[in-house]
Amino acid sequence: METGDSRERTDRLALGAWVKLARSAESVSTRIHGHLAAYRLTVSQFGVLEALYHVGPLSQRSLARKILKSTGNMTHVLNNMEKRGLVRRQPDPKDRRAVEVHLTRKGTQLVRNVFPRHAEIVRREMSILNTTEQHELGRLCRKLGLQTKEP
Amino acid sequence: METGDSRERTDRLALGAWVKLARSAESVSTRIHGHLAAYRLTVSQFGVLEALYHVGPLSQRSLARKILKSTGNMTHVLNNMEKRGLVRRQPDPKDRRAVEVHLTRKGTQLVRNVFPRHAEIVRREMSILNTTEQHELGRLCRKLGLQTKEP
DNA sequence: GCCATATTGTTTGATATCAAACAATCCCGT
DNA sequence: ACGGGATTGTTTGATATCAAACAATATGGC
């Protein structure tokens, strides 16, 4: 498809872009999620709260897909959250294999507390980029992430 | 600094950009690192091989910083790699607390095998973006990641 | 030179995560 | 109907990861 030389060049460019993407995501993530410890929330737990709050009740499988974790892990995460009274499992009447995961009042209150702080921190972290740049970053990342998962 | 309305707008933009960044990094990472399992390498182990191969011998602390993991974890990762004969710990003559981590011949051979495949996969994954876009993505991510770590 | 403080690597205990195997249930083609 | 394959959630066993406490060594101020 390409000559060896041009191939090396595109490899270097792709590797560089990928490394920068991975490192920036990881270091920004560390900075953004630092404050969650104050609420004894893990990143996964926060992801679950956020999804349930914004989307409404979901099955465990949908939750797992949303936060990109395995279903086995989701069982574990939800067990911990249920113990703390943040979520409630409710049998799905339409499918007796499935459960609907609901936010409890306590979970709703917590996410209403945490989310504004979260948004503020994200805004601050991203504010190094101007509006146009944030749009462009979002566009490029969406394109990348949307690569076909199952052909 | 801003009116409430504009604040909500910038919050939404920042949150959107951040979510897309995080999700694309995670899903691309999964796709890129799938092939490492064939070599019984974890992502951290591959990161160590890569760093040592391209930079030369490094202390555990530098390695930990390079792959963004804790030093405690680095001890664990290196123990596993040492058991497999991929790296060798060598006392640093200038600082008796520190060790220099070296690639063994076996480790060098392995990374020479794995790296070209890795580069190829990364190139393929990133090829959804054209050259200009990859440059731009790299630039934006570098800016984001470079945010001051310790003030 | 000596001591307080910092840095390096290790240990330890607690979580998080995954993959694989599993049971229960659903669904579709015949 | 119904039987085989798909889907949902759980369990299990193995790893990975972190934070915190620790021991050994280095370093800089006095």
Side-chain angles (χ1 to χ4, degrees):
Chain A
M1 208 181 264
E2 288 157 344
T3 74
D5 248 24
S6 131
R7 167 58 162 281
E8 270 175 37
R9 230 181 300 122
T10 60
D11 269 16
R12 243 198 313 281
L13 176 59
L15 278 170
W18 161 240
V19 168
K20 282 165 200 133
L21 172 64
R23 292 184 64 94
S24 73
E26 202 153 348
S27 69
V28 171
S29 169
T30 303
R31 277 173 266 153
I32 285 184
H33 293 129
H35 77 118
L36 294 181
Y39 302 92
R40 299 190 354 264
L41 284 176
T42 67
V43 176
S44 292
Q45 289 176 354
F46 177 66
V48 168
L49 287 182
E50 211 181 348
L52 294 179
Y53 186 67
H54 288 118
V55 182
L58 286 170
S59 72
Q60 295 197 186
R61 194 150 209 99
S62 318
L63 278 172
R65 266 193 296 261
K66 271 230 179 301
I67 71 168
L68 303 177
K69 294 288 148 66
S70 70
T71 67
N73 186 238
M74 189 50 58
T75 296
H76 179 61
V77 170
L78 290 176
N79 285 347
N80 290 339
M81 297 181 74
E82 207 173 27
K83 264 184 226 146
R84 252 181 92 184
L86 300 177
V87 298
R88 170 170 47 87
R89 281 174 167 109
Q90 190 168 305
D92 181 340
K94 319 228 171 188
D95 183 341
R96 287 197 294 169
R97 294 167 305 178
V99 297
E100 272 183 339
V101 183
H102 290 250
L103 278 182
T104 61
R105 181 166 332 175
K106 190 174 167 191
T108 307
Q109 282 171 352
L110 182 58
V111 70
R112 276 211 256 260
N113 263 336
V114 178
F115 193 76
R117 288 182 55 108
H118 175 74
E120 160 62 19
I121 292 174
V122 171
R123 195 189 55 73
R124 181 156 47 74
E125 279 296 325
M126 302 300 284
S127 68
I128 279 209
L129 305 181
N130 65 35
T131 308
T132 312
E133 289 174 326
Q134 290 187 30
H135 265 117
E136 181 65 1
L137 179 65
R139 185 183 74 83
L140 297 174
C141 287
R142 188 153 35 88
K143 212 166 161 185
L144 261 183
L146 251 53
Q147 214 122 197
T148 64
K149 267 138 219 200
E150 47 271 311
Chain B
M1 205 185 260
E2 287 155 345
T3 75
D5 248 26
S6 132
R7 166 59 162 281
E8 270 174 37
R9 229 180 302 122
T10 59
D11 270 15
R12 243 198 314 281
L13 176 58
L15 278 169
W18 160 240
V19 167
K20 282 164 200 133
L21 173 63
R23 292 184 65 93
S24 73
E26 201 153 347
S27 69
V28 171
S29 170
T30 303
R31 277 174 267 152
I32 284 183
H33 293 131
H35 78 117
L36 294 182
Y39 302 92
R40 301 191 350 266
L41 285 176
T42 66
V43 177
S44 292
Q45 289 177 353
F46 178 66
V48 168
L49 287 181
E50 212 182 347
L52 294 179
Y53 187 67
H54 287 118
V55 182
L58 286 170
S59 73
Q60 293 196 188
R61 195 150 208 101
S62 318
L63 278 172
R65 266 193 296 261
K66 271 230 179 303
I67 71 169
L68 304 178
K69 296 287 148 69
S70 71
T71 66
N73 186 238
M74 188 50 59
T75 296
H76 179 60
V77 170
L78 290 176
N79 286 346
N80 289 338
M81 296 180 76
E82 206 172 28
K83 265 184 225 145
R84 251 180 92 183
L86 300 177
V87 298
R88 171 170 45 88
R89 280 174 167 111
Q90 191 168 305
D92 180 341
K94 318 227 172 193
D95 184 340
R96 287 200 292 172
R97 294 168 305 179
V99 297
E100 272 183 338
V101 183
H102 290 250
L103 278 181
T104 60
R105 182 165 330 179
K106 190 174 168 191
T108 307
Q109 282 171 353
L110 181 58
V111 70
R112 277 210 256 259
N113 262 337
V114 178
F115 194 77
R117 286 182 57 107
H118 175 74
E120 160 62 20
I121 292 174
V122 171
R123 194 189 55 73
R124 181 156 47 75
E125 280 296 326
M126 302 300 284
S127 67
I128 279 210
L129 305 182
N130 65 34
T131 308
T132 311
E133 290 174 326
Q134 291 188 30
H135 266 117
E136 182 64 2
L137 178 65
R139 184 183 76 81
L140 297 175
C141 287
R142 188 152 37 87
K143 213 166 161 184
L144 262 183
L146 250 52
Q147 215 124 192
T148 64
K149 266 136 220 205
E150 46 271 311

